[in-house]
Amino acid sequence: MQKNFLVPKEQLDIQDEYAKKVKTILSARYPDRKPKAYIHTYGCQGNVSDSERLKGLIVKMGYELVNTPKYADFVLYNTCAVREHAEDRVFGNVGTLKKYKTERRDMIIALCGCMMQQRHVAEKIKNSYPFVSLVFGTHVSHRLPEFVNRVLCTNKRVFDFTDSDGIIAEGLPVVRGDNENAFLPIMYGCDNFCSYCIVPYVRGRERSRNPRDIILEAINIIDGGAKLITLLGQNVNSYGKGTDTDFSDLLRLIDGLSGDFEFDFMTSHPKDCSKKLIDTLSQSSHYCRRLHLPVQSGSDRILKLMNRGYTRDEYLTLIDYAKNKIPDVSLTTDIIVGFPSETYEDFRKTLSLIEEVKYDSMFTFIYSPRKGTKAFYMDDHVSKEEKSKWFQELLAVQEKYKIRR
Ligand code: SAH
Ligand code: SF4
Ligand code: F3S
């Protein structure tokens, strides 16, 4: 049986009380106007979805959401740690907030999300960014009202990087960015530990939401006018592990809902993408007929080092099965170039796989070493120049195959 990851209701009730306290403090502090909050999200759809719940809490505390940090009283950056470039952007953008804080001492600058769950990053913020008042990790987001209350009451900096196996906070308010194109998280965390990837370290263990909670939220989203519902999880194919509902079962439940909507999902992990799932998709009337199946590499040697859990042949067999069962399926993928010890020979295998599958589109990345992951400690002999050359070659192939229909 799956462990119970639910945050107890009493703890969420306490947060409601903190939200009320914050509201009272803010109305005394800004008697003539509504306090303003700005939230910026980096990274994946999972983070965007988290921010929709953070926005729900922000509004509950009495803030009005605005589109620029310039005049905001509360600024929150929800960060991503997946590649170095993502982290550099966050550090750069946080740096530019300093001048606002100098002009307006009462502004609260807060950072949360995956980057902040890494101890070395949090320490850097603590020591080198004194104008940041609040930093919290991915396991305690539902406690935002408590943290804001503490900053307002004590005027001290607040840091909370509590680690846990992972939690699920149900019943949080949600402010959706787009009602027609809605995100619906079905699970959190990841247990796959692909050797290059930081996500399992910053997001905790894989855990699935109860199907009932998901269906209730789906109905709500459809009633709110959604035309597309995207189900979210790092590996949706392993949804429901330890329960009696798997991902195919969940999709059948969603497909059974009435309304004029389509559903999509991301991300599918090839190693857990079963024939049962493809069969289910082929029979679904609401399925959007897009399948994102990240392959990462076409070389068996690299796939093994990446700990992806499938071979090139197994992946291609899966693709054939999907193309046969769902002839109009649109396939997309993710590719990493320049994994440690990758040779040009390995890279050519990725190119040949792409030519074989003929994806409709691809998300391509140059490997970025992430501290704490297995790959970080692997010998990486390929030069930056070489990797960029291969990357350009990949982009040329991508151009050739893009949008075939
Ligand atoms: N859970 C999803 C992907 C999450 S990260 C999955 O397994 O498909 C999104 C993409 O970022 C990955 O598919 C991978 O291609 C890329 N990525 C992750 N870590 C990376 C790293 N260290 N360097 C370069 N690209 C990386
Ligand atoms: Fe990262 Fe792999 Fe998990 Fe995706 S499945 S989040 S790439 S560890
Ligand atoms: Fe980035 Fe975290 Fe998503 S590392 S890609 S925001 S899960």
Side-chain angles (χ1 to χ4, degrees):
M1 234 4 234
Q2 183 179 6
K3 190 178 157 215
N4 181 11
F5 289 102
L6 279 186
V7 177
K9 185 170 177 311
E10 309 81 72
Q11 287 186 23
L12 294 176
D13 290 345
I14 293 173
Q15 295 305 320
D16 276 353
E17 289 306 312
Y18 280 121
K20 279 186 203 142
K21 280 189 191 171
V22 170
K23 205 170 183 172
T24 310
I25 298 171
L26 291 176
S27 51
R29 196 183 259 209
Y30 308 104
D32 308 324
R33 63 173 178 88
K34 248 194 148 182
K36 296 179 171 47
Y38 171 79
I39 175 162
H40 186 82
T41 311
Y42 299 83
C44 63
Q45 289 90 341
N47 240 24
V48 173
S49 167
D50 286 352
S51 285
E52 294 181 338
R53 281 159 162 80
L54 288 163
K55 281 180 190 169
L57 292 172
I58 288 172
V59 167
K60 202 171 197 175
M61 289 186 283
Y63 287 104
E64 171 190 7
L65 291 164
V66 292
N67 293 327
T68 160
K70 201 166 176 183
Y71 307 110
D73 305 294
F74 178 62
V75 175
L76 177 62
Y77 281 1
N78 189 8
T79 63
C80 169
V82 80
R83 283 170 292 274
E84 196 178 355
H85 176 65
E87 293 200 343
D88 289 347
R89 270 179 52 217
V90 171
F91 280 123
N93 291 352
V94 172
T96 63
L97 291 176
K98 189 178 176 181
K99 67 171 188 295
Y100 300 138
K101 176 80 180 176
T102 322
E103 288 159 12
R104 304 218 343 264
R105 304 298 307 164
D106 61 339
M107 182 184 214
I108 298 176
I109 297 175
L111 303 175
C112 69
C114 297
M115 226 175 126
M116 300 306 136
Q117 198 61 43
Q118 303 172 98
R119 191 39 66 105
H120 66 279
V121 174
E123 287 300 326
K124 180 169 169 180
I125 299 286
K126 210 173 196 170
N127 298 328
S128 312
Y129 295 76
F131 54 93
V132 174
S133 313
L134 166 60
V135 180
F136 58 96
T138 56
H139 299 274
V140 289
S141 303
H142 62 287
R143 289 171 54 201
L144 179 65
E146 174 188 343
F147 300 143
V148 174
N149 179 66
R150 209 182 309 159
V151 173
L152 287 168
C153 291
T154 64
N155 239 339
K156 289 207 175 105
R157 303 175 80 197
V158 173
F159 294 84
D160 196 315
F161 322 111
T162 307
D163 211 344
S164 68
D165 281 353
I167 48 105
I168 297 179
E170 285 297 350
L172 296 180
V174 187
V175 174
R176 290 187 199 285
D178 185 345
N179 282 330
E180 279 204 5
N181 190 351
F183 291 134
L184 175 50
I186 62 167
M187 59 199 297
Y188 302 97
C190 182
D191 285 351
N192 288 313
F193 290 94
C194 302
S195 62
Y196 50 82
C197 184
I198 195 71
V199 172
Y201 301 91
V202 293
R203 284 279 167 177
R205 300 290 53 79
E206 178 183 302
R207 52 212 185 268
S208 297
R209 289 178 77 191
N210 186 316
R212 193 171 162 273
D213 292 321
I214 296 171
I215 296 302
L216 286 175
E217 190 169 342
I219 292 171
N220 201 278
I221 289 172
I222 296 165
D223 288 348
K227 294 282 168 263
L228 177 68
I229 303 179
T230 304
L231 309 175
L232 297 177
Q234 293 299 344
N235 175 10
V236 288
N237 301 144
S238 63
Y239 170 82
K241 220 188 257 169
T243 74
D244 51 9
T245 310
D246 68 12
F247 187 49
S248 304
D249 302 332
L250 180 72
L251 289 183
R252 241 177 260 126
L253 291 172
I254 289 183
D255 201 51
L257 297 175
S258 47
D260 175 22
F261 72 95
E262 289 193 322
F263 70 79
D264 196 355
F265 49 87
M266 55 180 29
T267 301
S268 261
H269 195 306
K271 83 175 163 58
D272 297 312
C273 188
S274 62
K275 286 188 171 167
K276 177 184 171 190
L277 173 61
I278 304 284
D279 294 345
T280 305
L281 291 173
S282 70
Q283 291 152 16
S284 296
S285 49
H286 291 283
Y287 172 45
C288 70
R289 284 166 152 71
R290 282 191 291 271
L291 186 56
H292 183 62
L293 262 186
V295 67
Q296 314 297 359
S297 168
S299 151
D300 279 338
R301 192 181 71 82
I302 296 295
L303 284 172
K304 194 151 197 258
L305 284 176
M306 286 177 164
N307 191 30
R308 287 292 287 178
Y310 52 85
T311 61
R312 175 193 175 100
D313 274 355
E314 283 163 354
Y315 182 88
L316 288 172
T317 304
L318 178 62
I319 292 284
D320 271 349
Y321 191 78
K323 281 180 175 172
N324 273 325
K325 283 276 171 175
I326 317 167
D328 56 344
V329 72
S330 169
L331 293 163
T332 57
T333 201
D334 291 351
I335 306 277
I336 296 178
V337 175
F339 185 82
S341 89
E342 186 169 22
T343 61
Y344 189 66
E345 195 97 319
D346 291 313
F347 173 65
R348 291 282 320 159
K349 288 181 182 157
T350 301
L351 292 184
S352 75
L353 181 136
I354 293 167
E355 307 226 359
E356 197 167 333
V357 177
K358 300 187 173 54
Y359 295 103
D360 282 322
S361 96
M362 302 190 285
F363 297 89
T364 48
F365 310 101
I366 293 188
Y367 166 72
S368 171
R370 304 283 67 209
K371 205 172 174 177
T373 61
K374 274 224 169 97
F376 185 83
Y377 305 99
M378 292 178 188
D379 211 19
D380 193 3
H381 60 82
V382 187
S383 68
K384 266 196 174 149
E385 292 70 33
E386 192 79 359
K387 287 184 185 184
S388 328
K389 239 168 61 193
W390 298 356
F391 193 66
Q392 293 310 319
E393 210 172 316
L394 177 66
L395 293 184
V397 172
Q398 185 172 3
E399 237 357 84
K400 191 163 126 197
Y401 286 103
K402 215 166 60 182
I403 318 289
R404 292 169 299 118
R405 291 169 223 257

